[in-house]
Amino acid sequence: PPTRRTPRPPRPIRSHSTRRLRATKPAPPDRRAPHYRSTTAVAASEPATHEDPQEISATATAPRPAEAAHPFDGAPIVHRYTRANALRDGTLVDVTETGREAGFKVPVAITAAVQDQCVRWTEEDARRKPRIHQDEDGRLWDVLWMGACRSREIARSGRHASTALFQVIVVPRPGHGRQRLRTLKLFIGPGDAGETVATIMLPDDS
């Protein structure tokens, strides 16, 4: 007998409204995008805070605590050793006049150690080393000229250095040595009244 075919169920009829809704449905977010972050992840990583508006207002208007005063503020000065005292006592030697000729535009002083080791030249020194023709004016000029050159190098470089080392050729007073390269230190800082002054000293002096 002939085989009967089972009839297929009828296809559902889709209305135009259903097609329109499916066409306007937004596309799911691309999870592979580098800036994608789900709402669930944001909610889990940022816990909700419930702050009292009155507490926020009190915190915003609370005065800042005053800084602790220094224990020596207002204390009387027991002793003060100024640059003027050092010049008067001989710890420093004022060489401003020669320093301006060498190129300094500020008052200049050298320490007593620099004066004794690099500038001073007595008659006894001249007799001990007759082949070396030197005097104190020339030795002082060498020290100030090299110090002024070093200060101009710092100014041209744009650095704000207050201390710099420089070298000068000096004939030592004791012994039989001749010319020797000595390292000195140039310090530029405030004076007694806040003015800029320069001091030339040994490298270990402060």
Side-chain angles (χ1 to χ4, degrees), residues 37-60:
R37 191 180 182 190
S38 64
T39 308
T40 308
V42 173
S45 60
E46 300 177 359
T49 57
H50 304 282
E51 298 181 352
D52 190 355
Q54 295 182 357
E55 293 182 359
I56 298 176
S57 177
T59 304

Side-chain angles (χ1 to χ4, degrees), residues 146-147 149-151 153-154 159 161-168 182-187 199-205:
M146 297 305 297
C149 291
R150 181 58 174 155
S151 64
E153 290 177 2
I154 297 174
R159 295 186 294 112
S162 59
T163 305
L165 299 177
F166 66 96
Q167 292 182 322
V168 58
R182 288 294 303 269
T183 301
L184 300 178
K185 181 168 64 177
L186 172 66
F187 174 76
T199 308
I200 297 177
M201 59 189 73
L202 298 180
D204 297 334
D205 294 342

